[in-house]
């Protein structure tokens, strides 16, 4: 992908890029909404990436162009049409409702942290589906952060880049997300799921080669588009924080698994908070169990834990939707080993763990169930654990 994107960059900006970088989207195997509760998550990188051709500038200008932006009608060869031009010293949080807020937010976060970024020309192209719960925004942030880290010789470690990207998303874009997606895009490695402790950001690369064991992981994109800044995500986050405060702990991560019943009983008539707390605590335990099973080579046994995770997100956290439930229920009825929604919820994608020989039957069954329910046809594809962000050229 680096040759065409370099050519498009050269056509736009009249010079060759200094380099080309890529950062992937992700699916989360298990550990949903635990990341802003100091808990555990286990995402892996998708083969779908956002690619950026980038050159440094020293005159304070940030010029941004995307091959995918719907507002951009240029063919990439017609000069700088569709290029958005900003001044790095005029970047201000909460002022940009467009896709450009993500790359601009990263430049803003780097400069806020004292890194002397004096401008850049960027051309971006992505194969990560937008709004599908597969972290297209994190891929966009991380590819920009990695490119600027290299071009400005900032020498920041990956976890730090992820933190700066999260700050861009939280403060500049205004979406109160956790640290999972950016860390996944920056730190995943091919053939592995990433066990991340979001409290200290320590990671464990867990071998996850399903094909070798006769299994596949399918992603079912329901095509129901979701957005994190629309309030429901923030409400769940606030509810979790209230739960931690009521229980007198720093974060829900600190509720011991064997103390859950006592903690729930102590929440009095706070039923909504009780459900949120129950999801977070049981979900953290599921992540640890899945990690232990994978490390013990007992991969098939993770299926029921994935399915339990879905029930918890549907019934306790209340962030599923009819299309996600249809995907999960129909896949399980057709013989899947386990299935759950993945990502922030309210749409986006589900994942399905299946024996290789059952993939076709399950894919057809899910499509038929969507048709019977009158839902838009889903898009189903296999997810292979892929590489994290990297320089391509
Ligand atoms: C979104 C957020 C993540 C995480 C997930 C839910 O993807 O960006 O930080 O909270 O939702 O697990």
């Amino acid at each position: 992908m680096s040759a065409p994107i370099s050519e498009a960059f050269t056509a736009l900006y009249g010079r060759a890029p200094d380099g080309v970088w890529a950062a992937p989207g992700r699916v989360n195997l298990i550990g949903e909404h635990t990341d802003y509760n100091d808990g555990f998550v286990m995402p892996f990188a998708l083969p779908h990436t956002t690619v950026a051709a980038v050159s440094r500038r020293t005159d304070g200008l940030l010029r941004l162009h995307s091959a995918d932006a719907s507002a951009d009608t240029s063919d990439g060869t017609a000069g700088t049409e569709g290029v958005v031009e900003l001044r790095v010293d005029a970047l201000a949080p909460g002022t940009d409702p467009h896709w450009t807020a993500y790359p601009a937010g990263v430049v803003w976060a780097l400069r806020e942290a004292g890194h002397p970024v004096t401008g850049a020309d960027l051309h971006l192209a992505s194969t990560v589906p937008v709004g599908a719960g597969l972290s297209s925004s994190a891929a966009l942030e991380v590819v920009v952060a990695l490119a600027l880290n290299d071009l400005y010789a900032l020498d920041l470690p990956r976890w730090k880049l992820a933190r700066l990207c999260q700050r861009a998303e939280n403060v500049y874009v205004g979406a109160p997300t956790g640290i999972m997606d950016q860390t996944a895009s920056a730190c995943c490695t091919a053939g592995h799921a990433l066990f991340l402790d979001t409290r200290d950001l320590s990671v464990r690369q867990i071998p996850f080669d399903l094909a070798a064991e006769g299994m596949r992981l399918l992603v079912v994109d329901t095509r129901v588009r979701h957005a994190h800044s629309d309030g429901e995500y923030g409400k769940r986050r606030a509810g979790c924080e209230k739960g931690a405060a009521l229980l007198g702990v720093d974060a829900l991560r600190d509720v011991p698994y064997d103390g859950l019943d006592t903690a729930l009983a102590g929440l009095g008539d706070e039923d909504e908070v009780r459900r949120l707390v129950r999801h977070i605590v049981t979900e953290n335990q599921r992540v640890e169990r899945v990690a232990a099973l994978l490390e013990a080579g007992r991969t098939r046994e993770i299926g029921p834990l994935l399915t339990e995770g879905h029930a918890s997100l549907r019934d306790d956290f209340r962030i599923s939707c009819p299309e996600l439930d249809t995907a999960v229920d129909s896949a399980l009825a057709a013989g899947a080993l386990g299935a759950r929604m993945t990502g922030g919820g309210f749409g986006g994608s589900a994942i399905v763990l299946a024996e290789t020989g059952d993939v076709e039957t399950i894919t057809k069954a899910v499509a038929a169930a969507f048709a019977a329910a009158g839902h838009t046809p889903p898009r189903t594809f296999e997810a292979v654990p892929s590489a994290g962000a990297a320089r391509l050229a």
Side-chain angles (χ1 to χ4, degrees), residues 58-377:
T58 51
D59 61 357
L61 283 186
L62 175 63
R63 299 200 294 176
L64 302 165
H65 184 270
S66 165
D68 317 298
S70 52
D72 171 25
T73 52
S74 79
D75 62 4
T77 59
T80 52
E81 192 182 343
V83 172
V84 175
E85 192 171 294
L86 304 165
R87 287 209 54 85
V88 295
D89 55 7
L91 298 175
T95 54
D96 182 353
H98 305 292
W99 69 271
T100 44
Y102 295 94
V106 171
V107 173
W108 171 84
L110 282 164
R111 285 172 55 86
E112 274 269 308
H115 304 295
V117 176
T118 54
D121 286 340
L122 287 100
H123 172 61
L124 297 138
S126 185
T127 57
V128 187
V130 174
L134 302 174
S135 293
S136 57
S137 8
L140 177 52
E141 291 154 5
V142 169
V143 78
V144 173
L146 188 65
L148 297 176
N149 188 48
D150 284 356
L151 289 179
Y152 282 91
L154 303 178
D155 218 14
L156 296 169
R158 296 274 171 137
W159 68 266
K160 193 78 192 255
L161 293 177
R163 268 280 184 242
L164 288 164
C165 290
Q166 184 197 13
R167 189 162 152 71
E169 183 143 352
N170 290 173
V171 182
Y172 199 90
V173 178
T177 54
I179 190 67
M180 167 170 69
D181 305 341
Q182 294 82 3
T183 310
S185 189
C187 301
C188 279
T189 58
H192 296 87
L194 184 81
F195 180 95
L196 169 68
D197 180 337
T198 64
R199 171 159 276 168
D200 62 8
L201 298 188
S202 59
V203 299
R204 227 154 75 217
Q205 301 284 351
I206 302 193
F208 192 55
D209 182 359
L210 289 173
E213 295 185 63
M215 282 171 284
R216 295 284 192 269
L217 196 120
L218 304 176
V219 174
V220 181
D221 174 4
T222 63
R223 319 270 289 272
V224 179
R225 294 308 177 224
H226 74 123
H228 288 147
S229 40
D230 72 355
E232 288 299 324
Y233 184 99
K235 277 190 209 157
R236 299 302 183 286
R237 184 167 183 155
C240 289
E241 279 157 13
K242 182 172 176 190
L246 288 170
L247 293 169
V249 290
D250 285 346
L252 293 182
R253 151 74 176 275
D254 298 312
V255 178
Y257 304 141
D258 62 5
L260 178 60
D261 289 343
T262 313
L264 295 178
L267 285 169
D269 57 4
E270 295 281 356
D271 287 336
E272 201 177 317
V273 173
R274 191 185 344 271
R275 283 197 308 271
L276 298 179
V277 170
R278 185 164 51 207
H279 167 72
I280 297 301
V281 178
T282 58
E283 184 80 347
N284 274 329
Q285 192 170 22
R286 280 186 285 275
V287 182
E288 293 209 282
R289 285 184 173 152
V290 167
L293 286 169
L294 292 179
E295 287 176 328
R298 293 161 58 190
T299 308
R300 280 182 175 73
E301 292 171 54
I302 73 170
L305 290 167
L306 303 186
T307 307
E308 244 179 58
H310 183 75
S312 181
L313 289 162
R314 183 191 59 210
D315 303 335
D316 272 347
F317 222 66
R318 302 199 172 174
I319 58 169
S320 189
C321 66
E323 291 83 353
L324 287 168
D325 292 341
T326 299
V328 168
D329 295 344
S330 59
L332 291 171
L337 296 162
R340 58 180 288 271
M341 53 151 285
T342 186
F346 308 105
S349 299
I351 54 171
V352 175
L353 181 70
E355 302 288 356
T356 303
D358 293 340
V359 165
E360 212 183 307
T361 314
I362 291 172
T363 305
K364 282 188 182 148
V366 171
F370 269 63
H375 302 324
T376 303

Side-chain angles (χ1 to χ4, degrees), residues 26 28 31-36 177-181 228 233 343-344:
R26 62 99 189 94
N28 188 18
E32 224 62 87
H33 287 261
T34 44
D35 64 348
Y36 52 80
T177 54
I179 190 67
M180 167 170 69
D181 305 341
H228 288 147
Y233 184 99

